[in-house]
Every structure is written in C-alpha cells, then in structure tokens.
Amino acid sequence: MSIVAVGSIAFDSITTPSGARENILGGSCTYFSLAASYFTSVRIVAVVGEDFTSDYEDVFRKRKIDTKGIEHVKGKTFRWGGRYVDNLNEAKTDFTELNVFENFQPRIPQDYMDSKFLFLGNIHPSLQATVRQVMNGVQLTGGDTMNFWINGTRPELLQTLKLINVLLINDTEAKMLAGDRNLPRAAQRVLAMGPQALVIKHGEYGATIFFREGAFGIGKHPFRAPALPIEQVQDPTGAGDAFAGGFMGYLASQEDINREVLKRSLFYGGVMGSFAVERFGTERLQKLTREEIDSRFQVFRELTHLE
Amino acid sequence: MSIVAVGSIAFDSITTPSGARENILGGSCTYFSLAASYFTSVRIVAVVGEDFTSDYEDVFRKRKIDTKGIEHVKGKTFRWGGRYVDNLNEAKTDFTELNVFENFQPRIPQDYMDSKFLFLGNIHPSLQATVRQVMNGVQLTGGDTMNFWINGTRPELLQTLKLINVLLINDTEAKMLAGDRNLPRAAQRVLAMGPQALVIKHGEYGATIFFREGAFGIGKHPFRAPALPIEQVQDPTGAGDAFAGGFMGYLASQEDINREVLKRSLFYGGVMGSFAVERFGTERLQKLTREEIDSRFQVFRELTHLE
C-alpha cells in the first residue's frame, strides 16, 4: 500500500568528527521517503525553492518516489547548518533559514488521495491536522513532532494527537510532552492524549513501542528493539527520520497491522536508522538493496535473541 | 559453583523523588551478593566497623551468604550520602566517609579458596590484582571499576585488566577507559587491554556484551539485553551492582560458560537490576523468590523477542 509523507526538504551544512559537507540534500521528508521507498511506494508533499534543481529531484525519482506533491515556489529552499561536537546524539544548530518552508501549506495532489497510510512529519500541528482531515480515507496515520511545537503550540498539538494513530518521538520529547521524567509513565500519559501506539526513539539504544490497552492486539507490555552498536557513525543527521521511514514503510507493506507486524516495523526502523548514519546526508539511503536491509534485520534480531 | 565477592559494605543516606532514607545497608558487595545469592552460593570479603551489628549481618545470613570474610575493625563503617534530583540515572554525592574502608586489605578466608568464580568489586586496582593472585585457582574472574581509578590509577588498572575475564562497567567508564566516545570502538579497545568479554551497562536501556574474537565461542557480534521500562523507580542506588550480581551469579550456576549462557546471564543481570530499583536500598533484593525472578526473565525475553 502506498504512503503519503508530508515534511521538509532542505539543504544541510553539517560538521561531524568525520568531516564536513555543505548544502547537501536533507530534510525530514527526504530521509523518511528514501528509507520507506525500500518497502512500499511513497508519495511526498513538500516545498522547495528555485535552487532545488532536477538533479535533486532525480534522487527521489530513482527510488520511484512520487514527487508530484513537491511544490516549487520562488525563493530559496529551507537551509539548516549544524555540527556534532562532543556528542553524536545531539546537534548544535549553526543556522536555520526557513526560506520557502516558512509559508509551507501542504497541498495533496488528487491522485494521492487513495493512499491508506499517511506520515505527518515535523511541521506545525495545525498543518498536520489539516492534512489528516483532507486525507480522510487513510487507515493509519503516523506522526512526528518536536520540542518547539510541544512548548509553543501545545493546544494545537493536543488536537492533532487525537488524529494520529502512531506517534514517533524521542525520549526528551516524550518526557516534555507528558510532563513526567519517568519514561513508561510518560508513555502512558501520551497514549491517553490520543495515539493507539507510541514509539519512543532512544538514539543509539534503539526504540520502544508502547500500546494503548487493547490497541493492535492484547497485552500490556511494551516492546523494545535494540540498535546495533555502530562503529562508523559519520553523520547522525536524519537517523530519526530514516527510522520513521523504515517503520512506516514496512508497516504500509503489510496486509494486517497487528502487534507482531508493529514489532518487526520497529526493528526495520532501527535498521534504516543504522544505515542512515554510516555516511553523510542521504548517501547511504540512496543506494541500498532489500537484501542488505534484510540481512541487517537478521543481525538486529540476533542481537537480542535468546535460544 | 560458589563465587567469592570482594567489595564494600556501607551505610547509605539517600534522597530520591520518592523519599529519603538514612543509614540504610548498602555498598557494592551488599547489592552484588544479595542479587547473586538467588543463583549460587556466595562468599563475601569486606570490612565493617563497630556500628555494623549482627542485625545487619543477618541480612546476609538469611540469604545464606558466607560472611566469614567480613572483617570487623575499630571505627565506623563506610558511609555515603547522595541524592537523585532531576535525573534518576545520576546521583549527586552529598558526602563520602570512607572510615574503615580507607585501609581495606581484603583477606580471603582459607575455605573460600576452592571457589571457581571471583568478582572484584570497585576497589583500588592493585587490591583487585592481589586478590586475584591469591585466589589462583579461579576459573573466571569478573570485575568492576570506576572513573576514580580510570583517571587516578591507570597503570595499576591496566595491569589488573589482564587478570579479569569479564569486565562490567557503564557507558561513561568504557568511553573514558578507551579514550573513545564511540561505544563499539571503545569496547574493542577495552577488550584489547585484557578481558575476554566486556559488559557495558546502559542503565535504563539495558546492557551490551562485547566479545574478544574467539572468546567463549565464535562470531564477532555483540549481544544486547534490554531493560524493562520501570514505572516505579524508588531508588536507583545499587542497580549496577545488582546487575553484576545477577550476571555473575547466574554464570557461576552453569556447568559450561559459553555465549548462550553469557547472553542469558546478561538478561538475569537486567532482571536483578530492575528489582533493585523498585524499593529503597536492598529492601527488594532481600526477599525475592526464584519464581519471581524467572517470571521477570520471561517478560524481559518477550520484550525483544520476534516470532
């Protein structure tokens, strides 16, 4: 089944202990869609400026990602600059130029409307809600958010959370959203806000999925997928978005959405996140094979599998 | 098989968001031995002062821990005070009074000498080395250390690491010891210093065991055991020592030490750590049953088990 992904396309300037790159293709929608494209057909909705040439669009086309929903407007594409100094888990932002992204109003092409899966990337919660309302035929909606919206637009975010089936955020965001520093308690509070499932991403430690009682099956226990310890982390940018792409992409490729499928999705999320960080930007995500992906899935599975 | 554990017995004064306790029984050897006592017979070597009355010794005796190696000397027992404010993963120390622990010279009772397993708790690396040399019949030695020794007595520590088969430390310690902020690279560097296996404890995210090539079996992949997300963390003190006790205790109870056994040990370590934090001090570790322990082991296994 196809999935529609809404989010940002950006040009990133990144410095890590492994080197530096200027103006490379990035953005949440880019990482997400490349990662998801190995599992299902992906249709994206984003906005770019005049500096987004067809060479860049080819990156998506080569992965058969539908780019009809990329809106081209006057001005420059969103740019972000950041560096990872002491800690590869946290970027220090050098600059953020929203440019054309500042007035982004997602428009869903008519022939995207039959998609049954939707991923609402990290944009203003009111825009997320509008997209979800327009796409009223979707079966399952995944969503992301961030500290900026949790603190700055909380009432709007709380409305949007009622429309999201699976929320994917990190530890800090979950604790901030819930106002509770204990992770499992925070998870229960976030689930009470709307989502049936909550994926909390722990960076290099993997991710945990918490379920609302009765959602997607029975049982009260969460499920945790580890991350493979990676020796060569070149650039952590986009790892969370690649995780979401692997998770949602695998999910959208399945007939039935149940807990076993959600567990495997969590592992595939970790797998795609682990590939993303091995090279700068989207380099690694552009040319994987499904065989490489499934082989790493097995390594991840072995990583915690007891006989 | 019995295990000899060397380390500290202390009285702790602890404040956490759940409350406060004064002068409760603690110390690395205490948490370790209580946790290990559910799997194998444990013999301890420690030093206490005149304030360590027989009521305290009964805590060990009730778990059939051999206390012959507790040396009673003039003065006060080691005391530590600390609090967990914002972050349950990190204690702020209020005071440390080494007292009788300052001049601790571990003495191994003669009838401990037939033990095949040894755990060297977090003491001066030269003392660790001496104990290991005295106990020259042991099959497997586990050890712990901390930042204080890594920075302050590095040459001595490097000597001791050659005598340790399985080192158990946390993320920060591993990175500091290796001088590398990348965890799997740090692990390889630490393994090159001597140990055949390295267990890195990630607190609420579980633990990973890294193997030296060819040690305990074949294969180059590490293994990770997750930790159960715990809603009610009353007191994180001793979680790492309880982890080590569960890990070493289960290990010592097995005929053959191979990778499958080490993997299960890692899970049992996580299980004992998770029990430790549910109540203040050693309260929970004093009265568990093997059934409770194995039932939680199953929950941990399910937590990451894919069909």
Side-chain angles (χ1 to χ4, degrees), chain B residues 96-295:
Chain B
T96 305
E97 298 169 11
L98 289 176
N99 300 326
V100 300
F101 191 61
E102 189 162 10
N103 298 308
F104 179 40
Q105 299 278 347
R107 281 178 225 172
I108 316 295
Q110 195 51 43
D111 59 351
Y112 280 18
M113 292 297 289
D114 61 354
S115 283
K116 296 296 178 204
F117 289 82
L118 172 64
F119 183 73
L120 301 167
N122 174 24
I123 57 176
H124 192 297
S126 298
L127 292 179
Q128 292 180 314
T130 304
V131 171
R132 175 62 186 80
Q133 279 146 359
V134 169
M135 297 220 30
N136 54 14
V138 297
Q139 259 176 28
L140 190 142
T141 304
D144 186 11
T145 191
M146 70 183 293
N147 300 354
F148 185 72
W149 310 120
I150 294 170
N151 290 325
T153 61
R154 192 175 176 86
E156 294 90 334
L157 180 59
L158 291 176
Q159 286 306 312
T160 302
L161 287 179
K162 294 178 186 164
L163 307 172
I164 286 177
N165 303 103
V166 184
L167 181 68
L168 296 100
I169 51 182
N170 68 29
D171 286 61
T172 311
E173 290 157 355
K175 290 173 182 176
M176 186 178 287
L177 179 55
D180 194 321
R181 287 171 177 281
N182 174 287
L183 199 67
R185 273 203 314 264
Q188 293 315 314
R189 291 188 182 198
V190 173
L191 289 172
M193 296 171 188
Q196 279 93 60
L198 169 66
V199 173
I200 302 183
K201 297 173 283 181
H202 313 308
E204 62 177 316
Y205 300 116
T208 307
I209 185 165
F210 294 86
F211 300 101
R212 225 209 283 182
E213 188 70 49
F216 304 111
I218 51 166
K220 66 185 172 75
H221 289 303
F223 183 77
R224 184 166 278 187
L228 184 72
I230 305 227
E231 288 200 29
Q232 297 302 338
V233 176
Q234 281 211 346
D235 173 15
T237 311
D241 300 313
F243 181 102
F247 177 89
M248 291 293 300
Y250 179 76
L251 208 56
S253 76
Q254 299 297 298
E255 282 292 308
D256 254 357
I257 307 299
N258 55 46
R259 291 202 180 186
E260 276 308 312
V261 166
L262 283 159
K263 289 175 184 182
R264 288 203 298 276
S265 302
L266 204 68
F267 269 79
Y268 276 113
V271 165
M272 299 313 288
S274 80
F275 279 122
V277 304
E278 288 182 351
R279 298 278 182 283
F280 270 88
T282 59
E283 205 181 304
R284 190 81 173 96
L285 292 180
Q286 289 183 34
K287 33 193 169 211
L288 284 164
T289 65
R290 186 62 194 260
E291 289 65 37
E292 286 177 297
I293 291 167
D294 283 326
S295 146

